[in-house]
Amino acid sequence: MSKVAIGIMTGVLALGIAGCSSGDGDTSKSVNADEKNKQVVHKEEEKDVNATEGKDNVETTPTDNEGNVSETSGSNSSSKNSSDNSNNNSPQESSKSNDTPAILKEGQIKNLLTDNMDAIFSAFNKAGDQYGWNNANPSDFSKLSPKLTPYATSSFINNDLKSLAKKYYCECDEHFKPELNMDVRFSYEQNGNKLSIVALEPATDFLNMGSKWEFTYLFEDGKWKLNYWKATSLEHKNLNLTKDEAKALASPYGDKAEYDGAVTSLDADGAKAYVFRIYKNGKPQNVIGISATNTKLVYDLEEEFSIDDDAPATQDKDASEGGAGEADKKAEQDNSSQDDSSDTDKNNTTATLGNFNIYNEYLNIEVGGPDDNMHFGYLPEELIAKFGKPIAITTSSNGADFQYSDAIYSLSRADGKVYKVTITGSRAASYYKDFATVKKVYEGDGVYGAFDLEETNDSEGYHLVYDNYSTARHTYTSSNQEGNPIKKIVVELTDN
């Protein structure tokens, strides 16, 4: 046998002996890494699927060996790493000393973010249920923090999450968990052990704004852990959303969102809003508009507002409906008993509110009386008789909202009367200079001495909430902690 043949046989025997050894920890790691590499190669052929076997999501808490497997590593490099670290380090120590995360795909990053948010807030909820935390029984963060260590860095836990825990169990309606839409303006950058993500949290109704969230993850101990988050309100921003982006934001409201044109909307401060018909189970359920500037939901959606080049879906008529002449169609449109838009007047600029002390308005409920400032107890026809047709009307399971230029009047489904008034924009800013002024007025009143004050904040801004837990709740909202200016005031009768 030639020297070359002998050399080849020697190498084959050496590799075979090493691969079959069960007592050498380094060799076991090499085989394991090779198997994981095959998993990676296999998973790369699937779109947006995690690189770990049998899972659809990125492992935020992987085993120690998973940290050494990258999308580009091959069996030779895995064996070399095992050989290089075979001196004194155990496989676990070797893995931890060389943690290098795989390059993640977009789908994996979205899954990572979703799973991480779910895990963190699940830990908050379970701990609260376990220990019965509430206003009367404040949270003990020393019991919660160990449950968060798999999902966040120690600095984030001991700062941001610790601060969150102080207000999380407030027994209030405050919103804490980001409700993200990752189909619009989602971006990310992975640089070694650092992963940065930007995602939108769109508005959920016509009284709030969307937010832009920034997240930073660090790869520590073989795990992606949250290290930073920040929410920035989209108020006074201009995203310039496209029609397709707006459709992606509207789609979660039903089974299908059908584009119906675009409007210049007072709700959107005169900017463009895209209009969509929302379908559920094949049937149209409602119509919503989405502001192109800040994702806010808008409702002044009369078809004649259309400014879009695309033909609105409501103008697509079946050929069988075209038998009537143009005169008949015009007469049909002019028939107020059949015209849905006859209930509204987009050009109505009538002011419905004057100057008065808001703090005692829940007492002034005599319709048409001398102190009838906020018009509680009005029926729809009484609002229209006094102020004209509203700019827009919105209905929900709670009743209906009549929108005027300076306020929105919420009417109860039970009796059809006004039980809540939402003051917005410059009118809201005209009553009190800032939060300090509001506190001074309320604290000096004997009636409101029985009211509790709660100060909260969320993606919409900062809030002063005065509530007597029986008849009335007043909420003042501002974009800043000083409350200057106040951008929204909600006065609600809670015994309705």
Side-chain angles (χ1 to χ4, degrees):
M1 184 177 297
S2 68
K3 291 182 179 180
V4 173
I6 292 173
I8 293 174
M9 288 298 293
T10 301
V12 170
L13 289 173
L15 290 173
I17 293 171
C20 293
S21 172
S22 60
D24 187 349
D26 292 334
T27 303
S28 174
K29 175 180 176 296
S30 174
V31 173
N32 188 40
D34 185 60
E35 291 174 352
K36 291 184 180 297
N37 181 64
K38 293 177 182 177
Q39 294 171 10
V40 172
V41 173
H42 173 68
K43 292 297 182 181
E44 279 186 319
E45 297 172 357
E46 303 175 11
K47 182 179 180 181
D48 293 340
V49 179
N50 186 23
T52 54
E53 183 177 11
K55 296 194 176 185
D56 295 328
N57 301 324
V58 172
E59 284 280 8
T60 56
T61 56
T63 60
D64 290 333
N65 285 338
E66 288 174 353
N68 282 331
V69 182
S70 70
E71 290 184 339
T72 57
S73 61
S75 59
N76 290 337
S77 61
S78 296
S79 298
K80 183 177 186 298
N81 287 339
S82 174
S83 175
D84 290 345
N85 293 287
S86 62
N87 295 331
N88 298 316
N89 294 338
S90 68
Q92 183 174 1
E93 291 171 344
S94 173
S95 175
K96 287 188 176 181
S97 64
N98 290 285
D99 267 344
T100 302
I103 301 300
L104 303 178
K105 298 178 181 178
E106 181 173 314
Q108 294 173 314
I109 293 173
K110 290 179 178 179
N111 288 337
L112 184 156
L113 179 56
T114 299
D115 292 347
N116 183 257
M117 290 294 104
D118 288 345
I120 287 175
F121 285 94
S122 176
F124 268 80
N125 294 335
K126 289 180 179 178
D129 292 340
Q130 180 180 356
Y131 299 109
W133 292 332
N134 52 38
N135 288 331
N137 179 29
S139 61
D140 181 351
F141 194 67
S142 65
K143 296 178 179 179
L144 173 59
S145 58
K147 304 177 188 296
L148 300 169
T149 53
Y151 316 116
T153 63
S154 59
S155 62
F156 190 78
I157 291 173
N158 293 320
N159 289 283
D160 294 71
L161 296 184
K162 186 175 183 179
S163 297
L164 177 61
K166 293 178 181 178
K167 56 186 177 181
Y168 190 81
Y169 306 98
C170 63
E171 298 179 289
C172 58
D173 294 331
E174 188 169 354
H175 171 73
F176 295 105
K177 182 182 179 183
E179 300 297 336
L180 305 173
N181 185 306
M182 302 188 203
D183 295 324
V184 177
R185 305 294 173 93
F186 182 85
S187 62
Y188 60 91
E189 179 180 357
Q190 183 177 351
N191 186 5
N193 289 5
K194 180 180 178 181
L195 176 63
S196 301
I197 303 173
V198 176
L200 284 185
E201 180 179 26
T204 55
D205 60 48
F206 63 93
L207 295 180
N208 65 21
M209 294 286 176
S211 297
K212 180 183 77 171
W213 279 86
E214 300 172 62
F215 303 90
T216 300
Y217 286 85
L218 298 181
F219 198 73
E220 291 185 354
D221 301 325
K223 307 169 186 177
W224 283 108
K225 295 185 178 183
L226 182 63
N227 189 60
Y228 170 85
W229 65 8
K230 178 183 178 182
T232 303
S233 173
L234 295 176
E235 187 173 16
H236 307 307
K237 307 292 184 183
N238 188 357
L239 294 177
N240 285 315
L241 292 174
T242 66
K243 179 175 68 177
D244 290 340
E245 288 175 327
K247 183 175 183 179
L249 297 180
S251 294
Y253 290 96
D255 302 328
K256 182 180 73 170
E258 182 181 85
Y259 179 63
D260 202 36
V263 300
T264 49
S265 167
L266 296 176
D267 283 344
D269 300 322
K272 174 191 279 191
Y274 299 101
V275 183
F276 299 91
R277 292 189 179 272
I278 306 301
Y279 288 79
K280 293 183 179 179
N281 300 319
K283 298 180 179 180
Q285 296 295 309
N286 63 319
V287 178
I288 64 171
I290 294 180
S291 168
T293 61
N294 54 31
T295 78
K296 184 179 180 181
L297 301 187
V298 300
Y299 296 95
D300 48 344
L301 308 177
E302 287 82 352
E303 186 174 319
E304 60 266 29
F305 273 172
S306 181
I307 59 171
D308 199 275
D309 292 336
D310 296 55
T314 51
Q315 294 179 356
D316 293 334
K317 304 296 183 180
D318 187 88
S320 63
E321 297 177 356
E326 289 300 317
D328 292 335
K329 291 182 181 180
K330 187 177 187 305
E332 185 177 9
Q333 291 172 355
D334 291 340
N335 188 337
S336 61
S337 64
Q338 299 180 24
D339 186 1
D340 293 338
S341 66
S342 66
D343 294 332
T344 61
D345 178 6
K346 66 180 183 295
N347 296 315
N348 186 357
T349 59
T350 302
T352 64
L353 299 171
N355 295 318
F356 50 88
N357 291 325
I358 291 178
Y359 72 88
N360 63 358
E361 276 311 304
Y362 81 102
L363 298 172
N364 300 326
I365 57 177
E366 180 185 356
V367 176
D371 295 319
D372 178 19
N373 293 316
M374 299 195 75
H375 323 304
F376 288 115
Y378 273 49
L379 292 166
E381 55 268 27
E382 292 171 323
L383 282 175
I384 293 174
K386 189 164 187 175
F387 306 115
K389 296 176 182 179
I391 297 170
I393 298 176
T394 335
T395 59
S396 68
S397 58
N398 295 324
D401 291 334
F402 277 37
Q403 179 183 351
Y404 286 91
S405 63
D406 54 358
I408 298 167
Y409 294 87
S410 298
L411 298 95
S412 169
R413 180 174 292 277
D415 59 12
K417 296 179 180 179
V418 173
Y419 72 96
K420 180 171 70 173
V421 180
T422 302
I423 310 171
T424 59
S426 59
R427 172 55 71 180
S430 68
Y431 290 98
Y432 303 113
K433 178 182 177 181
D434 51 25
F435 283 171
T437 306
V438 174
K439 291 178 181 179
K440 183 177 180 181
V441 170
Y442 277 66
E443 289 169 359
D445 177 68
V447 175
Y448 271 79
F451 276 59
D452 285 341
L453 168 62
E454 182 179 12
E455 299 186 50
T456 65
N457 65 85
D458 54 24
S459 59
E460 184 184 2
Y462 295 83
H463 314 280
L464 297 183
V465 183
Y466 288 91
D467 199 329
N468 68 1
Y469 304 109
S470 61
T471 59
R473 181 187 304 114
H474 295 192
T475 303
Y476 295 82
T477 299
S478 175
S479 297
N480 57 73
Q481 197 165 5
E482 291 72 29
N484 186 5
I486 294 171
K487 67 178 182 180
K488 184 176 73 174
I489 303 173
V490 180
V491 179
E492 179 179 4
L493 304 184
T494 55
D495 61 346
N496 186 56

